[in-house]
């Protein structure tokens, strides 16, 4: 079992809570460079999508393969008060459905981004809008 990492990028303490969303990222090992590019794009879009910029705090980011056990990552995301787990990579739709159900039972959103979607600004905009509608505890 792979343990989730403890690395965190914390935004400034002066950011209002209504403009902050904690998110966790999982990506397929073959998509590491794409993940880094998508994370940058997501941050840029979050800063410019609305009148009030949205700040995304990455509670963790880790490689994840479909054969791995997702529960430790879900638990870590919940413990770190993430509102969503963002999954980037080519994963079987049936597995993603199972993972969405597991996340939902824990009160955590799961957003799946395919490699083709990760290169589109519209994907980042849609994801940021979804995150804006989620309430950060």
């Amino acid at each position: 079992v792979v343990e989730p990492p403890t690395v965190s990028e914390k935004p400034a303490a002066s950011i209002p809570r209504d403009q902050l969303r904690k998110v966790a990222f999982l990506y397929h090992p073959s998509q590491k460079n794409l993940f880094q590019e998508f994370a940058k794009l997501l941050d840029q879009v979050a800063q410019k999508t609305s009148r009030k910029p949205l700040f995304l705090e990455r509670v963790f980011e880790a490689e994840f393969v479909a054969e791995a056990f997702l529960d430790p990552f879900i638990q870590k995301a919940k413990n770190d008060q993430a509102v969503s787990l963002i999954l980037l990579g080519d994963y079987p739709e049936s597995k993603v459905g199972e993972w969405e159900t597991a996340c939902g039972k824990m009160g955590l959103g799961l957003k799946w981004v395919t490699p083709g979607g990760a290169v589109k600004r519209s994907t980042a905009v849609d994801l940021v809008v979804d995150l804006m509608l989620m309430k950060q505890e």
Side-chain angles (χ1 to χ4, degrees):
V1 173
V2 176
E3 290 298 314
T6 57
V7 177
S8 178
E9 291 184 23
K10 301 239 181 230
S14 61
I15 295 171
R17 285 185 65 83
D18 68 328
Q19 290 178 252
L20 176 69
R21 297 297 181 277
K22 294 181 181 185
V23 295
F25 288 94
L26 295 177
Y27 57 90
H28 193 275
S30 68
Q31 304 295 329
K32 184 172 187 168
N33 290 337
L34 182 61
F35 159 71
Q36 291 170 339
E37 290 301 314
F38 182 70
K40 284 181 199 172
L41 176 62
L42 199 58
D43 284 337
Q44 290 169 356
V45 168
Q47 294 290 303
K48 296 178 179 157
T49 295
S50 84
R51 287 175 281 164
K52 286 191 202 177
L54 187 67
F55 297 90
L56 304 179
E57 178 182 339
R58 296 182 206 174
V59 295
F60 70 82
E61 56 190 56
E63 292 183 354
F64 182 74
V65 294
E67 298 77 22
F69 195 54
L70 188 65
D71 286 356
F73 295 99
I74 295 173
Q75 192 58 55
K76 172 136 181 64
K78 274 310 282 181
N79 290 347
D80 291 343
Q81 298 177 324
V83 295
S84 186
L85 187 58
I86 300 170
L87 181 69
L88 188 148
D90 276 326
Y91 296 99
E93 283 189 43
S94 60
K95 285 296 241 181
V96 173
E98 290 174 23
W99 299 332
E100 285 176 331
T101 300
C103 285
K105 286 180 182 176
M106 294 292 290
L108 182 68
L110 177 77
K111 301 297 179 189
W112 178 35
V113 179
T114 63
V119 298
K120 297 177 183 173
R121 184 173 180 81
S122 61
T123 301
V125 170
D126 289 346
L127 183 52
V128 166
V129 169
D130 286 348
L131 291 170
M132 291 172 96
L133 297 174
M134 295 178 170
K135 183 173 166 68
Q136 181 67 57
E137 293 184 24

